[in-house]
Amino acid sequence: MSRGTALRRLAAHEGRWLRSLAWWVARRRIGVAPGERALGYAGAQAAIVYGLTFVCVVETAGFGVLLAGKAVVHEVMLFVDVYTVLTVLGFQAAAVTRPHVLGAAELRLRDGARREIRIPLERIASVRYDLRFVREQQKDGGGEVAELAVAGQTSVTVELSEPVVAVRLLGRRETVRTVRFHADEARAAVTAVREGMAARAGALGAGGAPEAGGASKASGTTEAAGAPEAGAAPVRQE
């Protein structure tokens, strides 16, 4: 990947978490349509994020006192410290406003403003409660295991009958057959996904096999970065 492409992706990521701050203040969620179910995951990291924010605010006040007689340096450090506080809060805001989403045709798994993995429900072979503490990237059956951890843990494992393509923040593509993610109410999330799978199977059974390319249509759209997130279909995120 070129340096320019990487910079554009990073700039798009900055824009997403900044926008998330506004949506957080407005108490709204991004990309959750009527009839879809939001599966939150931000609760596990809230204490860590707010604790870090407090430390950053104290540091800002301390530097303000120490650099009171150096106007230029004080202004530069104030800008850096305030932006750091906004970045930390934006991390939490992105997680709150961009929950995992269970729709009628797909499960969209998000990692704040960084990435999103779209899984058509008919590709899910099994889903289970599975509490794990993430240590390192693993391989599973020849394919990558995508882990969307929160506070260093995942609590739900999704095994796929067909792989999907996950795209990381800087554009690296991974073919995955297992996805592990965290949900604040993990067992309820597992139950909801199983019910969605059953409803999807019933709908496909009643309506016949989906038309060619149907999986791609179900994949919807990806984030502003413009990379495909599940399967091969290009998608766009709000």
Side-chain angles (χ1 to χ4, degrees):
M1 175 186 296
S2 68
R3 182 176 300 178
T5 300
L7 290 176
R8 284 194 295 272
R9 283 184 168 273
L10 288 173
H13 172 255
E14 292 285 302
R16 289 194 295 274
W17 71 252
L18 284 169
R19 187 164 64 250
S20 295
L21 284 169
W23 283 68
W24 193 26
V25 172
R27 306 179 72 85
R28 298 175 63 188
R29 294 176 298 195
I30 298 172
V32 183
E36 294 183 330
R37 179 166 178 172
L39 307 174
Y41 56 88
Q45 68 186 24
I48 298 173
V49 171
Y50 296 143
L52 183 58
T53 301
F54 176 76
V55 171
C56 290
V57 170
V58 171
E59 180 189 46
T60 301
F63 272 113
V65 173
L66 292 174
L67 301 175
K70 302 177 180 180
V72 175
V73 178
H74 176 265
E75 290 176 3
V76 171
M77 289 305 301
L78 179 62
F79 173 81
V80 171
D81 287 339
V82 169
Y83 193 79
T84 299
V85 171
L86 288 177
T87 300
V88 174
L89 290 177
F91 177 73
Q92 179 68 3
V96 172
T97 59
R98 299 171 186 268
H100 305 310
V101 180
L102 176 62
E106 67 179 4
L107 174 65
R108 302 202 306 277
L109 301 177
R110 290 154 146 181
D111 186 13
R114 291 181 294 277
R115 62 172 174 163
E116 177 178 293
I117 301 176
R118 292 176 176 253
I119 305 174
L121 293 181
E122 59 268 24
R123 294 194 188 186
I124 299 178
S126 67
V127 56
R128 66 183 184 274
Y129 174 78
D130 184 19
L131 181 61
R132 293 171 178 256
F133 293 93
V134 178
R135 291 184 176 86
E136 61 183 15
Q137 189 77 3
Q138 302 178 40
K139 298 281 185 177
D140 187 17
E144 289 283 350
V145 178
E147 293 179 318
L148 280 62
V150 178
Q153 67 180 10
T154 61
S155 53
V156 179
T157 294
V158 177
E159 303 282 355
L160 305 179
S161 58
E162 298 179 45
V164 297
V165 175
V167 182
R168 289 189 173 272
L169 176 60
L170 295 181
R172 184 162 69 91
R173 296 165 64 88
E174 300 174 334
T175 300
V176 300
R177 288 184 176 273
T178 301
V179 183
R180 298 186 180 122
F181 67 96
H182 176 72
D184 290 334
E185 298 180 3
R187 289 186 172 85
V190 169
T191 299
V193 173
R194 287 174 177 169
E195 291 174 350
M197 292 167 58
R200 180 63 174 169
L204 291 177
E211 59 178 298
S216 296
K217 293 178 182 178
S219 293
T221 59
T222 194
E223 300 200 353
E229 196 55 61
V235 289
R236 182 185 61 82
Q237 172 68 24
E238 283 188 59

